[in-house]
Amino acid sequence: MFYKLLIIAFLAVSLYGTPSDGQKKKETLLSEKVSQMMEWTSKRAVIRLNGEKFRRLIRAPPRNYSVIIMFTALQPQRQCGVCKQADEEFQILANSWRYSSAFTNRIFFGMVDFDEGSDVFQMLNMNSAPTFINFPAKGKPKPADTYELQVRGFAAEQLARWVADRTDVHIRVIRPPNYAGPLMLGLLLAFIGSLAYLRRNNLEFLFNKNVWAFSALSFVLIMTSGQMWNHIRGPPYAHKNPNTGQVSYIHGSSQAQFVAETHIVLLFNAAVTLGMVLLHEAATSDLDIGKRKIMCVAGIGLVVLFFSWLLSIFRAKYHGYPYSFLFG
């Protein structure tokens, strides 16, 4: 009986002792990984990862921390201007977290450059850059863990909101001081003040209808082209496919836009407006009939051509829109 009890006790110790040893190894490995991540973060807010580091610190368990990774292509030969702009915003976000009083080891920021970790791109079947993915502390990334860059843009504030949604970590974005805006405003006010002072004896230009009409029209064109949306969302200027090298200036969705797209729309709207002005002048001016005919033809040409291009852009963004003019 004694020997039976001894064998049972031995088996119990063996069975329950093995997981304990495994748990200790797991905790030791996790502690080493966290220490390594903290050490790298103390030197640089965004940790540069290659294939080996990615597999060991991100893909391989155990892991009790989330990692926000930007997959990018920053080398000059890649000619990815958007990647450089996105990297600047990502660095601002990561540094805001690194120097925050709320900083913990719950979340880290990393970067995989295509030329340093092309195997990682292949592993994840990734064919575009930049791309932001949250690798959660538990489980695999879900569709919502991939940032909708084309919709939200890459502004640090937008990235911070997405990080808060996915990790419950709220980061207050702190940007470096930027004096360009106040400086340009000061120069503009100084120019206007100097102009008014030099012409203080003749301020009739302030009552010139054409000056105010041009100013108002310029403001309307800027606002209707989407410049305020650009300022709020911070979208990329354009998108370049890293595989084909093809550059897209028009976003294919009605929920987003590129900066280049707003410039194109602004120019097209301006051309249509100029055409309408020419038509009005052709009908009301006192010029000879020959010049008025030229103005009329030019006005009709501008309106028809550029309005057709505007419709084609609208059709490209709003799929299924049935109407077109000149260009299908």
Side-chain angles (χ1 to χ4, degrees):
M1 185 67 180
F2 173 75
Y3 291 107
K4 289 182 178 180
L5 293 173
L6 185 63
I7 292 172
I8 293 172
F10 176 76
L11 290 173
V13 171
S14 299
L15 290 173
Y16 290 99
T18 302
S20 178
D21 294 340
Q23 185 68 22
K24 288 182 180 179
K25 291 180 181 179
K26 183 178 179 181
E27 291 177 356
T28 301
L29 179 59
L30 179 60
S31 177
E32 290 175 355
K33 292 172 72 172
V34 173
S35 298
Q36 182 70 82
M37 297 290 283
M38 290 293 288
E39 179 183 351
W40 285 337
T41 301
S42 65
K43 298 176 181 178
R44 181 181 292 178
V46 178
I47 303 171
R48 297 186 73 95
L49 300 168
N50 54 24
E52 184 275 330
K53 291 178 180 178
F54 179 83
R55 285 185 288 270
R56 178 168 58 89
L57 298 170
I58 311 302
R59 293 298 290 262
R63 182 163 52 86
N64 64 351
Y65 50 86
S66 298
V67 186
I68 309 296
I69 296 183
M70 177 179 70
F71 297 88
T72 186
L74 294 174
Q75 297 302 316
Q77 65 269 22
R78 300 299 173 188
Q79 297 181 352
C80 183
V82 178
C83 294
K84 296 179 181 179
Q85 299 174 32
D87 179 62
E88 294 176 359
E89 294 296 312
F90 193 62
Q91 294 287 345
I92 291 174
L93 176 64
N95 278 292
S96 297
W97 172 241
R98 176 188 175 189
Y99 295 107
S100 170
S101 59
F103 174 75
T104 65
N105 57 13
R106 287 181 55 193
I107 180 175
F108 296 98
F109 290 86
M111 177 178 66
V112 177
D113 192 285
F114 181 80
D115 291 281
E116 299 174 1
S118 58
D119 53 336
V120 180
F121 277 73
Q122 295 175 1
M123 183 193 310
L124 301 176
N125 295 321
M126 193 173 299
N127 56 13
S128 65
T131 300
F132 301 92
I133 299 179
N134 168 49
F135 291 85
K138 296 181 180 179
K140 297 180 179 180
K142 300 177 182 178
D145 286 311
T146 299
Y147 181 71
E148 296 178 325
L149 178 66
Q150 308 299 342
V151 176
R152 295 187 173 189
F154 49 70
E157 291 77 8
Q158 292 292 334
L159 287 168
R161 294 189 187 98
W162 170 69
V163 170
D165 291 338
R166 305 311 305 161
T167 65
D168 288 330
V169 174
H170 297 270
I171 303 174
R172 179 173 174 266
V173 175
I174 302 175
R175 292 183 174 274
N178 185 359
Y179 302 106
L183 180 61
M184 292 301 296
L185 179 61
L187 290 174
L188 178 61
L189 293 176
F191 173 77
I192 294 174
S194 300
L195 184 62
Y197 177 77
L198 291 174
R199 301 193 61 177
R200 60 186 181 277
N201 297 324
N202 183 12
L203 297 178
E204 292 182 0
F205 69 96
L206 291 177
F207 304 96
N208 189 305
K209 293 182 179 180
N210 292 331
V211 171
W212 287 105
F214 179 79
S215 301
L217 186 58
S218 299
F219 179 80
V220 170
L221 289 173
I222 290 172
M223 291 297 105
T224 55
S225 65
Q227 301 302 320
M228 186 59 68
W229 196 93
N230 292 343
H231 179 73
I232 296 173
R233 294 294 185 90
Y237 187 82
H239 175 70
K240 182 178 182 180
N241 190 312
N243 293 329
T244 62
Q246 183 179 2
V247 179
S248 299
Y249 297 102
I250 306 296
H251 197 285
S253 170
S254 61
Q255 302 298 317
Q257 65 184 16
F258 297 134
V259 174
E261 179 181 332
T262 62
H263 294 166
I264 293 171
V265 171
L266 188 150
L267 291 175
F268 285 5
N269 281 330
V272 172
T273 303
L274 177 60
M276 297 299 294
V277 171
L278 288 176
L279 287 173
H280 177 269
E281 289 297 316
T284 59
S285 67
D286 297 328
L287 297 174
D288 61 82
I289 191 67
K291 292 182 179 179
R292 291 168 66 183
K293 286 182 178 180
I294 294 175
M295 293 173 63
C296 182
V297 172
I300 292 175
L302 286 173
V303 172
V304 170
L305 182 64
F306 286 96
F307 186 74
S308 298
W309 275 334
L310 281 173
L311 270 182
S312 67
I313 293 175
F314 193 82
R315 281 170 57 85
K317 296 180 69 66
Y318 291 84
H319 305 286
Y321 185 75
Y323 304 108
S324 64
F325 188 57
L326 291 188
F327 309 112

